[in-house]
Amino acid sequence: MVQFCILRKKSTIFILGTIIMIHSAFIGCSNNSSLSSKDNTLFSLDNSTFSNIGIEYSWENWTYEEVSHEINNYLGEKVDEHTLALKSETGKKPVPPGNYPPGVRFGESDWNNYSVDFDICFNGAASFFFIIYDETNLFDSNENDNVQRYWFKISRDGDLTYETTLGTNIEYLYDNGTKLEIKDFNPDLWNHVSIKTINNDIVLFFNSNKIGKIDTYSDNDKGKFAIDGSSGLMIKDLQIYC
């Protein structure tokens, strides 16, 4: 059975003479389009919503503030220094041994069938981690017969991998036998990332170019969108929609 992410709009009541018509609009998430409409926004990062994100670990340090210096985007356009961005200052506090990412979460645990758009600037950071549907991102490891959580990692050199909680699996990603990687990009510019749920595929786009399928989507997949990144990483204009 296919599950849908449902938003309920406020009921509108029209009265004409003795005729009363009640209109209730329900919007269901649909992932049948490769373009992915943003008509149904579930979350948009701004000053008012920054306090709603979940920061899981005590050593994580994220702020929402002005970029503070002009940075070009991948199209060569200047992005104003007063633009607000989510910034990672992780690394200023000691981190215990282990393999913890991602630790910053957006949304609700029962969300499903959604897509995400945002701009990212590595700003000297070494890597960026993310997962979509964090409640069900489970991986069966053959090496230790243990079910682990997993996430994806983009390195500043364009490598794309997935990693698991216990660190026993760090693998490159392939789509139909082709290794996925992000080519010819400058990690310290503003680059645009889209993670789209399209039918039964979760597809990564980078600067409007399709990188490939990174995962599959099933009826049971649900959860928040989660990220992490080393110190310096900046994210702006994040939207979760269906």
Side-chain angles (χ1 to χ4, degrees), residues 129-142:
F129 302 88
F130 69 93
I131 189 65
I132 191 168
Y133 311 123
D134 74 332
E135 292 290 316
T136 51
N137 60 317
L138 297 177
F139 173 82
D140 291 313
S141 172
N142 294 324

Side-chain angles (χ1 to χ4, degrees), residues 3-127:
Q3 297 178 331
F4 293 94
C5 170
I6 301 296
L7 297 177
R8 184 193 298 266
K9 285 188 175 179
K10 185 178 180 180
S11 298
T12 306
I13 301 177
F14 301 92
I15 303 177
L16 180 60
T18 59
I19 301 174
I20 300 177
M21 180 174 64
I22 301 177
H23 173 70
S24 296
F26 295 90
I27 300 175
C29 288
S30 173
N31 60 354
N32 292 326
S33 169
S34 61
L35 298 178
S36 241
S37 169
K38 291 186 184 179
D39 289 342
N40 309 329
T41 301
L42 302 175
F43 179 90
S44 183
L45 180 63
D46 57 30
N47 261 327
S48 64
T49 60
F50 170 64
S51 60
N52 294 331
I53 70 174
I55 300 178
E56 186 169 342
Y57 307 119
S58 61
W59 57 85
E60 296 272 7
N61 189 15
W62 293 79
T63 61
Y64 190 68
E65 59 186 71
E66 292 182 354
V67 172
S68 77
H69 59 288
E70 281 191 347
I71 303 174
N72 283 5
N73 65 19
Y74 72 98
L75 296 172
E77 301 163 337
K78 292 283 186 185
V79 175
D80 187 81
E81 63 181 2
H82 300 298
T83 299
L84 295 174
L86 183 66
K87 296 182 179 181
S88 170
E89 296 181 354
T90 301
K92 292 187 175 182
K93 300 178 182 179
V95 180
N99 212 10
Y100 291 96
V104 182
R105 286 168 165 73
F106 305 85
E108 302 296 336
S109 59
D110 60 349
W111 281 3
N112 60 6
N113 202 356
Y114 60 79
S115 297
V116 185
D117 275 17
F118 55 92
D119 293 336
I120 187 170
C121 177
F122 279 65
N123 192 36
S127 54

